[in-house]
Amino acid sequence: QKEVEQDPGPLSVPEGAIVSLNCTYSNSAFQYFMWYRQYSRKGPELLMYTYSSGNKEDGRFTAQVDKSSKYISLFIRDSQPSDSATYLCAMSDGNFGNEKLTFGTGTRLTIIP
Amino acid sequence: ETGVTQSPTHLIKTRGQQVTLRCSSQSGHNTVSWYQQALGQGPQFIFQYYREEENGRGNFPPRFSGLQFPNYSSELNVNALELDDSALYLCASSFGTSGERDYEQYFGPGTRLTVT
């Protein structure tokens, strides 16, 4: 079983819709949670970063972490065609001295104009 | 503020050969991590360097090695290349001080390695 599970999709939604992306994890030591966006043949770009449980909002993006359920989500409001990309969740156990990120496989998202 | 850069962009090597990939960290960052991303998969952690010392290693054999230099540039070396080493190799830099910002890793565009 992988430490981080993410539905690979693909996921297609019409422009303007709310997108929900999710990851589950098994390692209860994870404390830091991140979402990256990766365009084709490019490096991942950090979108959101959350410590422990709770919500964090940045513009059209909202990240949620529920540590009790070992479940994290990313919501994209008013989705745009430029949001079409692969979204990767990543997490770390906060062990200072080894800031290793463990990634999900990524969800491929297409926003249809 | 400059971003993370990597070279070369693409590389084709033959099985058994050796390869060196290079990374220049974002200005002010003293920690660099290397990841391997196979097609359709998420990045897998190879190792991390902090102030020129290896600071953690993932599940990769010793033929994967690295260096970090005082100017925060770094190298990933892979010996005895195998076909399964074909992947996108990513480096990521971070501030490397205690605190939450350590986990904000900023990635370069990657080097796509093909082993034939």
Side-chain angles (χ1 to χ4, degrees):
Chain A
Q1 182 188 9
K2 291 184 178 180
E3 279 190 292
V4 179
E5 299 280 356
Q6 184 175 11
D7 186 340
L11 178 64
S12 296
V13 300
E15 183 176 355
I18 296 175
V19 176
S20 173
L21 304 167
N22 311 292
C23 288
T24 59
Y25 62 95
S26 57
N27 186 348
S28 58
F30 287 145
Q31 298 185 56
Y32 295 86
F33 304 92
M34 284 131 282
W35 286 95
Y36 284 84
R37 177 174 63 194
Q38 186 173 27
Y39 292 111
S40 181
R41 298 188 173 272
K42 301 291 185 183
E45 171 194 7
L46 180 64
L47 278 178
M48 299 286 287
Y49 166 73
T50 309
Y51 170 66
S52 194
S53 287
N55 295 355
K56 186 173 184 179
E57 188 173 319
D58 184 2
R60 297 185 295 112
F61 299 90
T62 299
Q64 288 186 352
V65 175
D66 181 350
K67 290 187 70 178
S68 63
S69 301
K70 297 189 179 65
Y71 187 87
I72 70 170
S73 301
L74 177 71
F75 297 95
I76 307 174
R77 292 182 299 280
D78 188 24
S79 55
Q80 305 294 312
S82 59
D83 295 328
S84 298
T86 295
Y87 288 80
L88 296 154
C89 63
M91 41 200 83
S92 177
D93 61 10
N95 180 17
F96 175 65
N98 183 0
E99 288 81 15
K100 160 191 171 183
L101 296 182
T102 302
F103 282 84
T105 55
T107 299
R108 188 170 179 181
L109 172 68
T110 301
I111 307 298
I112 303 167
Chain B
E1 184 178 80
T2 58
V4 179
T5 60
Q6 292 186 245
S7 63
T9 305
H10 296 92
L11 202 53
I12 300 174
K13 288 287 189 177
T14 303
R15 188 172 52 185
Q17 287 187 316
Q18 179 266 343
V19 68
T20 297
L21 310 182
R22 293 180 172 82
C23 172
S24 179
S25 296
Q26 188 163 319
S27 177
H29 289 184
N30 58 14
T31 298
V32 65
S33 304
W34 285 89
Y35 292 81
Q36 180 195 66
Q37 186 176 23
L39 197 62
Q41 300 296 315
Q44 297 290 315
F45 177 74
I46 302 175
F47 46 56
Q48 182 178 86
Y49 279 79
Y50 172 68
R51 293 184 176 177
E52 303 169 52
E53 296 284 334
E54 188 177 291
N55 193 35
R57 188 176 186 92
N59 189 27
F60 281 81
R63 59 189 184 85
F64 286 78
S65 63
L67 285 171
Q68 185 185 27
F69 301 102
N71 64 355
Y72 303 138
S73 65
S74 63
E75 291 180 352
L76 165 65
N77 299 288
V78 187
N79 294 322
L81 284 166
E82 300 177 0
L83 296 179
D84 285 348
D85 295 334
S86 295
L88 181 68
Y89 287 86
L90 298 160
C91 75
S93 70
S94 56
F95 280 95
T97 58
S98 60
E100 292 184 20
R101 297 194 74 179
D102 296 350
Y103 303 94
E104 293 185 35
Q105 295 189 13
Y106 295 87
F107 283 80
T111 293
R112 187 161 298 280
L113 173 65
T114 302
V115 182
T116 62

